[in-house]
Structures are given as C-alpha cells and as structure tokens.
Amino acid sequence: MNERQSISIFLNNVKRASNLKKYGSLQYVSKSLKYAVLYTDRVNALRTVKQIKKLPFVKTAYLSPRVDLKVDYRESDSTETVED
C-alpha cells in the first residue's frame, strides 16, 4: 500500500477548489478560512506541491509535517503502573 502525504493549500478563490481533485484526494475545503487539505502519494508529493503552487487561484501550498513527527509518546522501557 502506498504511503499518503497531506498537503495544505491556501486559496484565493474557494470556488475553484474542486479543480484540485485531479492532483489527489481532496479531503476538506474551508470556505471561511479559504484552505483545502489534499492527500496524495508520498512519492509524488513534492512534484504535486510544485504544480499546485503554479495554479492562479492558489496562494501557497506546503507538505504537512505530520508524517515526520513522533506520535507515540509512551516510554518503551517503562511498563510499571502507578498505584494510588
């Protein structure tokens, strides 16, 4: 299965956000804050961001850093429980 990468896109014109569907899976569009969230294959993510930035209705686009962040905060060697 391909790894997915989230791309955050800030828009000038929200009406044209549906045009982003050809670049990946359009997950969310905020009309009030004028941004969209798009998911695409991680392999093609940088190339997709470059293409999206060239569109006339896009202010900016960037890759979400979530894939690179640590999300498991448990200590691996600590299995003891705290007793009251």
Side-chain angles (χ1 to χ4, degrees), residues 7-77:
I7 301 173
S8 299
I9 307 163
F10 291 93
L11 307 166
N12 291 323
N13 188 352
V14 181
K15 291 180 182 179
R16 301 197 46 205
S18 61
N19 293 343
L20 296 170
K21 290 181 183 178
K22 66 181 177 181
Y23 297 101
S25 176
L26 188 61
Q27 291 296 311
Y28 183 74
V29 177
S30 172
K31 292 181 180 178
S32 60
L33 299 177
K34 294 185 177 182
Y35 78 94
V37 177
L38 179 86
Y39 281 90
T40 186
D41 292 334
R42 190 164 189 191
V43 177
N44 301 327
L46 286 175
R47 182 176 50 185
T48 304
V49 168
K50 287 179 184 177
Q51 291 174 348
I52 290 173
K53 282 183 177 181
K54 293 178 183 177
L55 297 173
F57 59 92
V58 173
K59 282 184 187 176
T60 186
Y62 62 88
L63 295 175
S64 171
R66 183 160 193 247
V67 221
D68 302 325
L69 295 176
K70 176 183 167 186
V71 291
D72 186 16
Y73 296 103
R74 291 180 282 150
E75 292 183 31
S76 58
D77 35 294

